[in-house]
Amino acid sequence: MPGNKAVAYIEPHRVEVQTIDYPKLELQDGPGVNPANVGRQCHHGVILRCVATNICGSDQHMVRGRTTAPAGLVLGHEITGEVVEVGRDVEFIKQGDLCSVPFNIACGRCRNCKEGRTDVCLNVNPDRPGSAYGYVDMGGWVGGQAEYVMVPYADWNLLPFPDKDQAMEKILDLTMLSDIFPTGYHGCVSAGVTTGSQVYIAGAGPVGLAAAHSAQLLGASVVIVGDMNAQRLDQARSFGCETVDLTKDASLGEQIEQILGVPEVDAAVDAVGFEARGHGDQAGQEKPATVLNSIMQVTRAAGKLGIPGLYVTGDPGGVDAAAQEGSLSIRIGLGWAKSHTFTTGQCPVMRYHRGLMKAILQERCTIAKAVNATVIGLDDAPRGYQDFDSGVSKKFVLDPHNNLADKRAIAA
């Protein structure tokens, strides 16, 4: 039986590459596993040899100590891999298939799954609706920043690529299908982005850049990205976005007006989440509701807001007691007065990933270039987390089995 190296959260600002057990088609006890899930049989699952597995901004929230994640939790919910073992009850996924794994774990049987809401499956997480690999309070499914990982309900969850050779040529694009590309796209669809839309994207991290590229794919006429990180704003401009520098004294509305001639947009996307910081005279101060309030201010009446940025129910590092339980000072009256539509929550990846896969394979989009996909080895994950936390404009792709060696020079 091969070994299984994996990236584990140890304590705030520290991750470690450890050797863990090779996965079984049964959920084992371990850090973060709900007792009701221990021993859960997964004959409907498969074992994947991870080909590419990415570091996500959502992982960083845990690594910064901003959640209740337990020590030893194996991280990683952005997984692409090759099937090496097939469970007894799997009918259609075959050994050797190269597949994208939606970060949502879904049973395919419950009411929500049947209605397309795989983001809030009712059967995989005893704590609450919805689950994900390697994430706090998500049922304890082992993460995929590892050499091997178990994927349950494989016939339902996995998206097999039609041609493995073609897929490996575009693997840096296709690895984004597990999360950030559908998530950014979902933020834009939720915000009503369509042909001719003028769009504001709050945040130029990987999800924000994915949302900006998605807005272009959906036909937006102008995509404006706001951030306080000059390197990330440069990255947004590299594929045709307008930008606003939130370190400047001019307000967001004033900077948008300089671009569009009016201080408002048709649609806005929050790709920042609960660790948002103030700008202008509040620069550097944590203001967890600032992005939500600012996008209400700059979105036209009857406009829509997509909110794929993460908000949590438990934040030990919150600025006050209310923020520590996810209660924020949102100007709901402003949103009500402007008749805004809000969409929150995890992206239901399966709603979008097949179509986005086709767009990648037919060269209609270049998501890896937009987010600056950068390949590193699994052993380099601790450095990748540190660099990502420092604000570099890179999307780190881990290469557990050295399958992507030819991509490293391209990505460097």
Side-chain angles (χ1 to χ4, degrees), residues 199-200 224 244 251-265 294 298-299:
V199 185
Y200 175 63
I224 304 170
V244 294
S251 70
L252 174 58
E254 289 169 337
Q255 292 193 64
I256 288 175
E257 186 171 17
Q258 291 171 8
I259 297 168
L260 299 179
V262 292
E264 64 180 17
V265 293
S294 67
V298 301
T299 301

Side-chain angles (χ1 to χ4, degrees), residues 340-377:
H340 282 159
T341 300
F342 300 72
T343 299
T344 66
Q346 294 181 33
C347 166
V349 171
M350 293 175 66
R351 185 179 299 173
Y352 308 107
H353 67 173
R354 187 177 300 277
L356 294 176
M357 174 188 74
K358 292 178 181 179
I360 289 169
L361 295 178
Q362 296 300 320
E363 300 184 349
R364 302 298 296 172
C365 55
T366 53
I367 185 64
K369 181 179 178 182
V371 302
N372 195 16
T374 303
V375 180
I376 61 176

Side-chain angles (χ1 to χ4, degrees), residues 44-351:
H44 43 66
V46 300
I47 308 298
L48 290 185
R49 179 179 179 272
C50 297
V51 172
T53 176
N54 313 330
I55 296 176
C56 181
S58 297
D59 298 321
Q60 284 286 19
H61 293 306
M62 291 187 288
V63 173
R64 291 188 188 115
R66 297 301 297 267
T67 71
T68 55
L73 181 74
V74 174
L75 302 168
H77 56 270
E78 299 191 10
I79 308 164
T80 306
E82 181 183 9
V83 177
V84 294
E85 182 179 341
V86 178
R88 180 193 68 198
D89 299 334
V90 177
E91 292 187 69
F92 306 113
I93 296 294
K94 306 300 181 187
Q95 188 172 354
D97 284 349
L98 182 62
C99 304
S100 179
V101 185
F103 79 88
N104 321 112
I105 302 173
C107 71
R109 296 154 165 79
C110 70
R111 172 182 176 175
N112 285 349
C113 283
K114 289 179 179 180
E115 293 178 356
R117 295 302 308 270
T118 54
D119 53 316
V120 280
C121 173
L122 301 174
N123 289 332
V124 289
N125 181 3
D127 290 317
R128 64 187 188 203
S131 190
Y133 304 88
Y135 214 84
V136 59
D137 295 333
M138 289 292 187
W141 301 90
V142 178
Q145 287 174 16
E147 293 178 306
Y148 299 91
V149 69
M150 189 268 283
V151 174
Y153 303 103
D155 282 328
W156 172 250
N157 283 307
L158 290 177
L159 175 68
F161 301 133
D163 184 297
K164 287 177 68 174
D165 292 336
Q166 181 192 29
M168 287 303 298
E169 290 176 5
K170 297 184 178 295
I171 191 65
L172 295 188
D173 294 290
L174 294 171
T175 191
M176 305 304 163
L177 290 174
S178 57
D179 183 356
I180 68 164
F181 196 9
T183 292
Y185 194 86
H186 176 62
C188 290
V189 170
S190 300
V193 177
T194 186
T195 305
S197 295
Q198 296 175 326
V199 185
Y200 175 63
I201 309 293
V207 171
L209 296 172
H213 193 48
S214 297
Q216 294 172 332
L217 185 61
L218 286 162
S221 60
V222 182
V223 180
I224 304 170
V225 180
D227 206 343
M228 294 179 282
N229 182 313
Q231 186 183 141
R232 291 180 170 183
L233 291 175
D234 286 342
Q235 181 63 26
R237 285 191 290 271
S238 75
F239 60 96
C241 298
E242 300 286 345
T243 60
V244 294
D245 183 346
L246 298 174
T247 65
K248 293 184 176 180
D249 291 335
S251 70
L252 174 58
E254 289 169 337
Q255 292 193 64
I256 288 175
E257 186 171 17
Q258 291 171 8
I259 297 168
L260 299 179
V262 292
E264 64 180 17
V265 293
D266 299 311
V269 176
D270 172 3
V272 178
F274 72 102
E275 285 194 68
R277 294 187 177 274
H279 43 84
D281 60 359
Q282 296 181 331
Q285 302 176 47
E286 189 162 308
K287 298 287 183 179
T290 192
V291 172
L292 295 171
N293 290 329
S294 67
I295 62 176
M296 283 190 279
Q297 290 171 346
V298 301
T299 301
R300 66 175 177 83
K304 296 181 179 180
L305 314 177
I307 309 174
L310 177 66
Y311 290 87
V312 295
T313 56
D315 173 13
V319 294
D320 52 37
Q324 289 170 12
E325 62 176 18
S327 297
L328 309 181
S329 298
I330 299 169
R331 292 187 63 192
I332 192 67
L334 176 61
W336 188 94
K338 296 178 78 172
S339 195
H340 282 159
T341 300
F342 300 72
T343 299
T344 66
Q346 294 181 33
C347 166
V349 171
M350 293 175 66
R351 185 179 299 173

